[in-house]
Every structure is written in C-alpha cells, then in structure tokens.
Amino acid sequence: MAAAEGRLSDGAEGMSESEREGRNTKDPVDSAPPPFRAAVEALRGTRLRPEIEVDPTKPPQRLAPYAYALEAAVVDGDDDLADGRLVLLHDPAGHDAWRGTFRLVTLVRAELEPEMAADPLLPEVCWSWLTGALQGRGLSYGEASGTVTRAGSHYFGGLSERAPASQIEIRASWTPREGLGGVPDTSSHLAAWCDLLSQIAGLPPAGPGDASVVTLPQRRGPQKS
C-alpha cells in the first residue's frame, strides 16, 4: 500500500519558473497554520488499498486561504476502473457556508454499461455510497451537498464502430468535524473517500467488515479528460 501524497496551494501563480523553483525548495505546508499542517500530515500518512494509486495534483487557488489536493485512480492491470479528486480546504477565520474551518470537496467518476446507467435509482444509490462510506468509518460531518450526474455518448460516422458509453459522476462537499486542536480526522475521511472510489469501481469488499457493501459490476475504465 502506498501512502497518500499531494500539493498545497502556495500562491505561486504568475511567478517565473526560476522563482517557482526557488520557492518550492521549502514545503509550503511548513508555513501553514498548525491545524492545517496536522490535517495534511494525516492525509500524507494514510495507507490505501493497493488498487488505488494516488498522485499530486494542483489545488484550486481561490476557494480558501489554504488548499491541498489529491487525485486517485482505481487500477486493475492496464485499466482505470474509476478516478477522482479530493481537495482539503482550510479557512482559519471560518466560513459561514461550511460551518467550520475545514471543507472537503470531491469529484468521483466511472464508466458504466448503458443498461446499468439507465437504472432510475442509480443517483440515489451513488449518493448513499458517499454518506454510507463516511458513516461506515464512524465519521462526524455536516453540511453535505452535491450532485450525481449520468451522461451518455453515442458515436457516429468515423466513430460508429465504438459502443455507446455511459458515465456516472459524483461531485460533493462536506465539513469534517474538528477534533482536538481544531484538527479533523482527515486520514479517516480519505479512507472513506477511497471506499467510495472502490464501490463505484466495482471492487470486492476490502475485508470481512465490508461484506455488506454492494458494488457495481465493473465495466470499462473512465475516459481521460
């Protein structure tokens, strides 16, 4: 299992390459507030299922004073079964909409067989996977919101030999409850997010404790954007 890694928003937009290289010699996490540093270190130390590969990705620059981002893919051999992005936001002054100083924002997507994507209950089921993953880890959270979107593609002309493709996409955000020192349990939230990725990818349960998890039978990996 690999430990999670990521990148902190460091305000380096507009700088020259040489300036960025000089600035990046010091980890910007080191100059962030202690609660954010602790939350990021917990993310970095999280152990993940071997099927889930995590890479650094550039975080958004304007959503909060501090941001840290991860992207992940569920991989089976040469196939990507699902992929997603998780962003940790922090505003030490608090945020009325969040009702806290931290916020987690995610995008998760996978491709489905068209007949499965036509299931009218699929959006509700996918949303329940997110909330169920958080509850399954015993996590306290609030202000959850998001969308579940189904999209279908049919090919014509020179692409007519391609089979129709359907994709499910979950966009969501929630406020992790803060513990000692104002630090949320970001490691467990990351683990719950990976549980969601595994479910939407159609992976079997990771252990005996997950035997009740219902997953989608896997189809094709998602198209790269």
Side-chain angles (χ1 to χ4, degrees), residues 6-217:
R7 183 181 302 163
L8 175 71
S9 172
D10 60 3
E13 286 186 327
M15 298 174 67
S16 68
E17 184 175 353
S18 60
E19 288 173 329
R20 287 196 300 269
E21 288 176 353
R23 184 166 180 171
N24 288 337
T25 57
K26 186 174 187 283
D27 188 343
V29 174
D30 294 341
S31 59
F36 187 73
R37 293 203 308 266
V40 169
E41 288 307 313
L43 287 175
R44 287 175 167 173
T46 304
R47 311 306 295 182
L48 308 175
R49 289 183 65 161
E51 301 94 336
I52 299 178
E53 297 182 356
V54 178
D55 291 306
T57 189
K58 185 178 180 179
Q61 302 291 315
R62 298 178 178 86
L63 295 181
Y66 303 94
Y68 184 86
L70 297 167
E71 62 182 6
V74 181
V75 179
D76 179 17
D78 294 330
D79 297 325
D80 284 1
L81 305 182
D83 60 24
R85 188 174 192 240
L86 183 69
V87 180
L88 175 67
L89 304 175
H90 179 53
D91 187 342
H95 196 293
D96 290 342
W98 302 354
R99 296 195 177 181
T101 63
F102 284 90
R103 188 76 170 169
L104 285 161
V105 182
T106 187
L107 163 68
V108 172
R109 61 187 179 182
E111 283 203 4
L112 311 173
E113 292 295 347
E115 59 270 19
M116 185 167 295
D119 185 340
L121 296 179
L122 185 63
E124 288 80 4
V125 170
C126 288
W127 183 256
S128 73
W129 286 348
L130 170 61
T131 58
L134 294 169
Q135 293 165 5
R137 295 278 176 175
L139 293 167
S140 179
Y141 66 96
E143 311 307 315
S145 62
T147 62
V148 177
T149 304
R150 288 179 290 192
S153 299
H154 295 264
Y155 300 96
F156 301 93
L159 301 176
S160 60
E161 293 183 359
R162 292 189 183 182
S166 298
Q167 186 178 79
I168 192 77
E169 180 180 277
I170 303 171
R171 293 179 180 268
S173 63
W174 64 95
T175 298
R177 292 307 181 211
E178 298 164 15
L180 293 176
V183 182
D185 184 1
T186 50
S187 179
S188 294
H189 280 272
L190 175 56
W193 181 70
C194 288
D195 292 341
L196 171 64
L197 269 175
S198 298
Q199 283 183 277
I200 201 170
L203 292 185
D210 300 323
S212 62
V213 169
V214 177
T215 57
L216 292 177

